[in-house]
Amino acid sequence: MEILDNLDKNNLHHAYLIEGTEEEIVPEIFKFMEILGIETSANPDFYHISVDSFKIEDARNLKSVEHEKSFSTGKKIFLISANNFLLEAQNTLLKIFEEPIENTHFFIIIPNTDTLLKTLVSRFYLIKTKTKLGDELKEAEKFMALPLKNRIDFIKELLVEPEKDAGIVLLDSTRSKALKFLNALETISQSKFLKNSSGLTLPGVPGGTHNYT
């Protein structure tokens, strides 16, 4: 699903919730900003927030900034990317989206919308994208071919938190990588199931094999 196909410059929704990865979606949003004639750099009315976990402090800051007067007569845009939103932050966001402010628009990106409160999701125009799983599919194939002991070692390695410098946020965190891997694993499993069941015949079904003893 193309992001731009779901965005209407003549009828812009107050808040969009987009399921997918930051690296795939953010460039599409930037393209849309160009279509709208909105600068994404050196523009005090364009906010790009990228964090691993969106916390209550982030939500409170967002609420405060949202109510500040715009520096121009145009739109105020908030582009937020996070791997997860903590419960307290979600409750604060609910209050923000209950009373939309004119010419203020939100684009929120998260890998899995199922981790959000249903009441919060209902406030958004929801867009679900198909995540590209190139390397993840290869890893899933490798995992499926491993014996049990090696699978356990594989999972342990997957769950190791990468080292990072202070002040640097890794959007491709352990949670994000694990989610991508599980999506790839599900894709591989479904593919194998469909392949194995395509020629399956059952007793009592025309063409089936009947064995009687």
Side-chain angles (χ1 to χ4, degrees):
M1 181 184 294
E2 291 292 334
I3 299 297
L4 295 180
D5 292 340
N6 291 272
L7 302 175
D8 184 355
K9 67 176 183 178
N10 298 315
N11 186 24
L12 202 58
H13 196 275
H14 169 60
Y16 294 89
L17 178 62
I18 309 173
E19 182 179 88
T21 63
E22 181 191 36
E23 58 267 24
E24 293 174 6
I25 297 170
V26 168
E28 294 295 308
I29 300 301
F30 274 59
K31 288 179 184 177
F32 186 60
M33 292 300 110
E34 289 183 19
I35 294 173
L36 293 175
I38 295 174
E39 293 290 338
T40 55
S41 61
N43 179 1
D45 288 330
F46 181 84
Y47 301 83
H48 184 191
I49 302 167
S50 179
V51 295
D52 182 22
S53 293
F54 195 86
K55 303 179 177 66
I56 181 65
E57 295 82 4
D58 300 311
R60 287 171 178 166
N61 291 336
L62 183 65
K63 186 176 182 180
S64 175
V65 173
E66 183 203 21
H67 284 84
E68 291 179 359
K69 187 176 180 180
S70 173
F71 286 87
S72 67
T73 57
K75 302 180 186 299
K76 185 183 287 188
I77 304 292
F78 293 90
L79 173 57
I80 304 170
S81 304
N83 285 317
N84 68 92
F85 288 75
L86 300 187
L87 182 58
E88 296 86 353
Q90 292 188 51
N91 287 325
T92 300
L93 290 176
L94 268 172
K95 297 176 182 177
I96 293 176
F97 297 129
E98 280 176 355
E99 299 179 359
I101 296 177
E102 187 178 4
N103 287 328
T104 299
H105 304 276
F106 293 85
F107 296 82
I108 294 183
I109 303 168
I110 187 171
N112 185 3
T113 56
D114 291 336
T115 61
L116 300 176
L117 296 170
K118 293 188 182 301
T119 48
L120 178 59
V121 174
S122 67
R123 300 289 194 275
F124 292 92
Y125 181 101
L126 179 60
I127 302 174
K128 291 197 173 188
T129 65
K130 290 184 178 179
T131 303
K132 297 176 182 178
L133 298 172
D135 293 337
E136 288 80 9
L137 286 174
K138 293 178 183 177
E139 290 296 310
E141 286 277 15
K142 185 191 300 183
F143 176 82
M144 295 288 283
L146 292 173
L148 180 59
K149 181 183 181 303
N150 296 89
R151 287 186 180 184
I152 294 173
D153 293 335
F154 184 97
I155 294 298
K156 287 180 180 179
E157 185 176 341
L158 180 69
L159 296 177
V160 172
E161 286 283 359
E163 294 183 2
K164 58 184 179 181
D165 296 330
I168 296 179
V169 175
L170 298 178
L171 254 289
D172 197 16
S173 68
T174 298
R175 281 188 296 272
S176 178
K177 289 190 293 184
L179 181 61
K180 290 179 184 177
F181 175 73
L182 289 174
N183 286 339
L185 195 60
E186 182 180 12
T187 300
I188 294 294
S189 299
Q190 288 178 345
S191 176
K192 288 182 179 294
F193 174 78
L194 291 174
K195 182 178 180 180
N196 292 335
S197 63
S198 60
L200 184 65
T201 55
L202 300 174
V205 178
T209 301
H210 301 263
N211 293 315
Y212 298 97
T213 56

Coordinates of all heavy atoms in Angstrom, one line a residue, residues 30 38-44 46:
F30 N 7.8 13.0 3.8 CA 8.5 14.2 3.4 C 8.1 14.6 1.9 O 8.0 15.8 1.6 CB 10.0 13.9 3.4 CG 10.6 14.3 4.8 CD1 10.1 13.6 5.9 CD2 11.6 15.2 4.9 CE1 10.7 13.9 7.2 CE2 12.2 15.5 6.2 CZ 11.7 14.9 7.3
I38 N 5.2 22.5 2.2 CA 5.6 22.7 3.6 C 7.1 22.3 3.7 O 7.5 21.2 3.3 CB 4.8 21.9 4.6 CG1 3.3 22.4 4.6 CG2 5.4 21.9 6.0 CD1 2.4 21.5 5.4
E39 N 7.9 23.3 4.2 CA 9.3 23.0 4.4 C 9.5 22.1 5.6 O 8.9 22.2 6.6 CB 10.1 24.3 4.6 CG 10.1 25.3 3.5 CD 11.0 24.8 2.4 OE1 11.9 23.9 2.6 OE2 10.8 25.2 1.2
T40 N 10.4 21.1 5.4 CA 10.7 20.2 6.5 C 12.0 20.5 7.2 O 12.4 19.8 8.2 CB 10.8 18.7 6.0 OG1 11.7 18.7 4.9 CG2 9.4 18.3 5.4
S41 N 12.7 21.5 6.8 CA 13.9 22.0 7.5 C 13.8 23.5 7.7 O 13.3 24.2 6.9 CB 15.2 21.6 6.7 OG 15.1 22.3 5.4
A42 N 14.4 23.9 8.9 CA 14.3 25.3 9.3 C 12.9 25.8 9.3 O 12.7 27.0 8.9 CB 15.2 26.1 8.3
N43 N 12.0 25.0 9.6 CA 10.6 25.4 9.7 C 10.1 25.2 11.2 O 9.9 24.0 11.6 CB 9.7 24.6 8.7 CG 8.2 25.0 8.8 OD1 7.8 25.8 9.6 ND2 7.4 24.3 8.0
P44 N 9.9 26.2 11.9 CA 9.5 26.1 13.3 C 8.1 25.5 13.5 O 7.7 25.1 14.6 CB 9.5 27.5 13.8 CG 9.3 28.4 12.6 CD 10.0 27.6 11.5
F46 N 7.2 22.7 11.8 CA 7.3 21.3 11.4 C 8.2 20.6 12.5 O 9.3 21.0 12.7 CB 8.0 21.1 10.0 CG 8.1 19.7 9.6 CD1 7.0 19.0 9.0 CD2 9.3 19.0 9.8 CE1 7.2 17.7 8.6 CE2 9.4 17.7 9.5 CZ 8.3 17.0 8.8

